[in-house]
Amino acid sequence: MSQPVLSEHFQKRKPSAIRLAQIEFMKRNDSTKEVNTAIGNVSLPMHPAMKKRLFALKDNNSPFQEGIVKYTATVGLKETNDAVLNIIASSGLDTSKLYSQITDGGSQAMELVIIGCCGPAGTNARPLMLIDAAYTNYNALASRVGRDTVSVSRTLGDDGRFSLPDMAKIEAVIQKHQPGALVVIPYDNPTGQFMTRDALKSLAQLVVKYNMWMISDEAYRELYYVDEPVSSIWNLSDQEIPGIEGRRISIETSSKVWNACGLRIGALVTDNQQFHQQSVAENTANLCSNAIGQYIFGSLAKESHEDLKAWYSKQRQYYRNLLFEVHKELTQTLPGIIVSSPDASIYSVVDVKNIAKPGFNALDFVMFCAQKGSVPINEENYTLLVAPMAGFYSVAQGE
């Protein structure tokens, strides 16, 4: 008897680059343990206010004390949205004209903005524009909802820095492909680079000129290690870039700065009321985000900006020490290796082109580590899980 046919999309779907190594490793049946650096699965404790609510879910003042977990409004709990705006404001950013919507992590916010800002693939499409290397799931989610992506590429120099293409080159791609939106990641995943406010301003001018949406993925806001002010779409205004207001969107999440990856709480924030209303309408099909997660994250609505800034400082110090040590040890141990400059977020890119033997293939290396790799450390065997950088580049290059 014949089997039902998978959709073309399912037939072609491959695991995300950041999950590939984990999937392969889980097929092993030996005792080797993994050190998984392929995905930013933060293992630090949450903010104390969030922990307090987590540990008190059955207390008398908890809405879950009777074991009842109801739907929330699709837009999310008011307290949780207030928490999102309080966090943004704690970075010295104006939130007076912003609208917030709670989502299932930053990932669902990404999917909603792609649907809302870009047209279906095909004739007269309005693709999503990325600056490669870009977080791999933008491509995956665009494919899921039938949108194309187009990109310009940065290159990693021997100094460990990714160079942003000049504005004329970016503008040429915009003119050719007419994208509906541009994604910027100021605290960059996966490169670890920091996008300055001046760079954001230059890109914002193009966004206005070509009537696009500007989407800023600010999952790692406040996690930066350079002597620069906070870089955010929310410190751009009509005063310096006429027309930028009303086309700004940010993606927020509990996952990284707040150490709550598994909580799956994010937010879609915009200064465009119509976009906000229609995004909530679109998301009514999903009913609502995790009610317990919203309650836990909502605790940050009551935290002072002074407290939040102290938290940022603590997180920055932890990651700064870690990233700088990794950078130092890799470059000293393997002379000639290129390691991206640890300027922001929690990631590093490693390029072995100057030391690898002819025929080296990064994906083969990733798969070997996941499937067979094993190194003895303190009487136990470990292997390293990493993500191949090819997965962070768009299929449809705009160059």
Side-chain angles (χ1 to χ4, degrees):
M1 181 179 293
S2 61
Q3 292 292 308
V5 179
L6 293 175
S7 70
E8 183 178 354
H9 176 78
F10 260 36
Q11 290 181 46
K12 293 181 178 179
R13 187 68 170 99
K14 302 295 183 184
S16 168
I18 60 176
R19 288 286 187 174
L20 177 62
Q22 180 72 59
I23 290 173
E24 289 301 313
F25 176 78
M26 290 176 67
K27 297 176 183 177
R28 295 174 64 160
N29 56 12
D30 59 19
S31 61
T32 301
K33 298 182 178 180
E34 84 273 26
V35 177
N36 190 358
T37 66
I39 188 168
N41 193 9
V42 178
S43 56
L44 299 174
M46 297 187 297
H47 185 278
M50 296 169 67
K51 289 198 297 181
K52 183 178 180 180
R53 282 201 173 177
L54 172 66
F55 299 150
L57 287 176
K58 64 178 182 179
D59 288 1
N60 290 337
N61 60 347
S62 167
F64 307 105
Q65 59 178 297
E66 301 296 334
I68 299 170
V69 185
K70 299 187 292 185
Y71 290 127
T72 73
T74 298
V75 71
L77 296 173
K78 181 182 184 302
E79 184 188 46
T80 314
N81 282 299
D82 287 346
V84 172
L85 296 178
N86 188 40
I87 289 164
I88 294 174
S90 73
S91 294
L93 304 168
D94 182 14
T95 62
S96 61
K97 299 178 183 179
L98 303 187
Y99 303 91
S100 175
Q101 166 190 358
I102 303 303
T103 59
D104 296 329
S107 302
Q108 189 188 35
M110 289 160 50
E111 186 171 4
L112 286 168
V113 294
I114 294 170
I115 296 170
C117 298
C118 302
T123 306
N124 299 320
R126 296 272 284 173
L128 180 72
M129 185 170 180
L130 303 169
I131 301 174
D132 287 343
Y135 179 52
T136 182
N137 283 348
Y138 279 103
N139 282 309
L141 291 171
S143 176
R144 174 183 292 177
V145 297
R147 269 59 172 175
D148 286 333
T149 59
V150 64
S151 67
V152 291
S153 291
R154 295 171 287 174
T155 56
L156 179 60
D158 287 354
D159 62 353
R161 298 193 176 277
F162 279 86
S163 59
L164 187 68
D166 62 55
M167 291 299 134
K169 186 174 183 181
I170 296 174
E171 185 169 12
V173 174
I174 293 173
Q175 290 172 339
K176 179 179 179 182
H177 295 280
Q178 298 294 303
L182 170 68
V183 174
V184 295
I185 311 178
Y187 312 83
D188 197 40
N189 174 1
T191 70
Q193 303 296 278
F194 178 83
M195 186 175 289
T196 65
R197 189 167 182 268
D198 285 342
L200 281 183
K201 286 169 60 177
S202 296
L203 293 169
Q205 288 168 347
L206 290 177
V207 165
V208 173
K209 181 177 180 179
Y210 291 97
N211 196 27
M212 301 161 58
W213 297 91
M214 190 167 186
I215 303 165
S216 185
D217 187 330
E218 305 203 356
Y220 297 89
R221 191 177 52 245
E222 292 288 354
L223 292 183
Y224 63 103
Y225 323 106
V226 293
D227 188 18
E228 294 277 354
V230 165
S231 185
S232 170
I233 200 171
W234 302 123
N235 58 18
L236 305 179
S237 70
D238 277 351
Q239 288 185 326
E240 55 187 347
I241 306 167
I244 190 60
E245 294 181 23
R247 63 179 73 247
R248 299 175 297 173
I249 302 169
S250 76
I251 294 169
E252 310 287 330
T253 181
S254 67
S255 294
K256 308 304 179 181
V257 175
W258 308 103
N259 304 338
C261 296
L263 211 59
R264 304 313 297 140
I265 294 297
L268 185 52
V269 178
T270 181
D271 62 350
N272 187 299
Q273 185 178 20
Q274 183 182 18
F275 184 94
H276 171 72
Q277 290 173 342
Q278 293 307 114
S279 180
V280 173
E282 172 63 34
N283 210 31
T284 55
N286 289 68
L287 304 180
C288 75
S289 298
N290 183 325
I292 296 175
Q294 289 190 62
Y295 174 68
I296 292 171
F297 192 61
S299 63
L300 299 177
K302 298 176 174 62
E303 294 299 298
S304 70
H305 290 182
E306 181 180 9
D307 173 85
L308 297 181
K309 288 177 181 178
W311 174 261
Y312 301 146
S313 179
K314 178 182 177 182
Q315 303 307 300
R316 273 199 298 270
Q317 190 60 47
Y318 173 83
Y319 285 117
R320 179 190 288 114
N321 292 341
L322 191 64
L323 288 165
F324 277 59
E325 185 66 19
V326 168
H327 187 278
K328 175 184 174 182
E329 290 295 327
L330 281 172
T331 53
Q332 289 183 352
T333 304
L334 298 169
I337 198 172
I338 301 171
V339 183
S340 60
S341 179
D343 297 340
S345 76
I346 60 175
Y347 304 104
S348 295
V349 174
V350 176
D351 191 335
V352 298
K353 65 181 180 183
N354 294 334
I355 63 173
K357 294 181 179 179
F360 174 83
N361 181 281
L363 180 57
D364 289 344
F365 172 76
V366 170
M367 298 300 281
F368 174 81
C369 290
Q371 296 170 343
K372 301 178 182 179
S374 185
V375 176
I377 302 176
N378 296 331
E379 299 182 354
E380 292 193 282
N381 292 325
Y382 289 86
T383 191
L384 179 67
L385 304 185
V386 293
M389 277 299 292
F392 295 85
Y393 287 83
S394 297
V395 174
Q397 289 288 328
E399 304 172 67

